[in-house]
Amino acid sequence: MKRLIILGAPGSGKGSQCKWITKDYNVPHISTGDIFRKNISEGTELGKKAKEYMDQGKLVPDELVIDLLTSRLEENDCKENGFLLDGFPRTLEQAEALEKYLNLNGIKIDKVINLHVPDEEIMARAINRRTCENPDCKEIYNLRDNPPKQEGICDKCGSKLFKRDDDNEETVSNRLAVYHAQTEPLIEYYKEKGLLSTVIGQQELSDTIALVKAELEG
Ligand code: ADP
Ligand code: ZN
């Protein structure tokens, strides 16, 4: 049982790390971005509200995120196996709300992985990113570094690849600015709690995986 948080700028490659961590440690992967996108595709009220912010690269307001996340942590899989939080917390207010929830439940975070990648690299990756539309697969490709064998088709499951609406230059630079202003302070917050491990994201996915693994085992 592990309770983990992964921090990193949008497009730093958190999603790829989450895929193996959730398998190897058998922890539910909780991505607030995925939860919002699911709500958007199902046309829920929450989805409609969230989409306005997401399309502009802005954060969804804390009050819409915090209840959503804490109620997700109440589900059995998290109680039994822990969790891997991806995209939450994203503001100090969210971190403090999480802290309150953990204290109330007498549980602690084991580790916070801070995945660091320079902004220029993030931009180059984002505009080339394609994602498998199959919700059970969600394989991520990059047209520059890791293209699919057949254009537009997932190697793993044969589903179509899509470009996320928010993977365009303007939205990415907004998201980076928001990250630096709102989320970066969490690095210091978790460093002070003695929970932070910083890993520099490498060009090769397998190299980054090895570095993150070393931090999680250590
Ligand atoms: P990325 O890591 O590429 O930014 P995410 O899937 O984590 O993608 O998030 C996409 C968008 O969803 C964010 O830009 C933001 O608008 C919204 N979002 C996700 N998580 C949060 C959160 N914890 N607080 C506020 N907004 C969020
Ligand atoms: Zn696929």
Side-chain angles (χ1 to χ4, degrees), residues 132-134 136-139 141 154-161:
C132 175
E133 68 175 13
N134 173 358
D136 296 326
C137 176
K138 291 195 272 182
E139 187 71 7
Y141 296 86
C154 179
D155 294 350
K156 290 239 165 101
C157 75
S159 299
K160 277 195 199 136
L161 303 182

Side-chain angles (χ1 to χ4, degrees), residues 97-154:
L98 175 63
E99 190 65 21
K100 202 167 127 198
Y101 174 87
L102 296 172
N103 289 337
L104 275 173
N105 287 278
I107 55 180
K108 283 194 163 64
I109 297 294
D110 295 301
K111 195 152 273 185
V112 179
I113 297 288
N114 170 35
L115 185 60
H116 179 80
V117 177
D119 286 5
E120 311 76 66
E121 176 62 17
I122 287 177
M123 180 63 77
R125 288 185 194 174
I127 52 189
N128 287 302
R129 176 157 63 177
R130 300 293 181 275
T131 310
C132 175
E133 68 175 13
N134 173 358
D136 296 326
C137 176
K138 291 195 272 182
E139 187 71 7
I140 296 162
Y141 296 86
N142 188 289
L143 301 184
R144 182 192 65 177
D145 307 328
N146 168 38
K149 292 200 181 72
Q150 194 186 336
E151 199 185 315
I153 303 290
C154 179

Side-chain angles (χ1 to χ4, degrees), residues 96 117 216:
E96 276 154 11
V117 177
L216 290 178

Side-chain angles (χ1 to χ4, degrees), residues 9-11 33 36-37 40 49-61 87 90-91 94 123 126 129 164-183:
F36 288 134
R37 279 186 288 277
I40 290 171
K49 284 187 196 151
K51 189 170 174 17
E52 287 174 37
Y53 297 93
M54 290 170 75
D55 284 350
Q56 298 173 57
K58 290 185 185 156
L59 293 188
V60 176
R90 232 169 167 111
T91 63
Q94 290 178 16
M123 180 63 77
R129 176 157 63 177
R164 277 168 39 174
D165 284 347
D166 54 0
D167 278 341
N168 66 70
E169 201 152 339
E170 194 193 346
T171 306
V172 174
S173 57
N174 282 342
R175 277 191 288 162
L176 285 173
V178 169
Y179 176 78
H180 292 303
Q182 312 244 64
T183 308

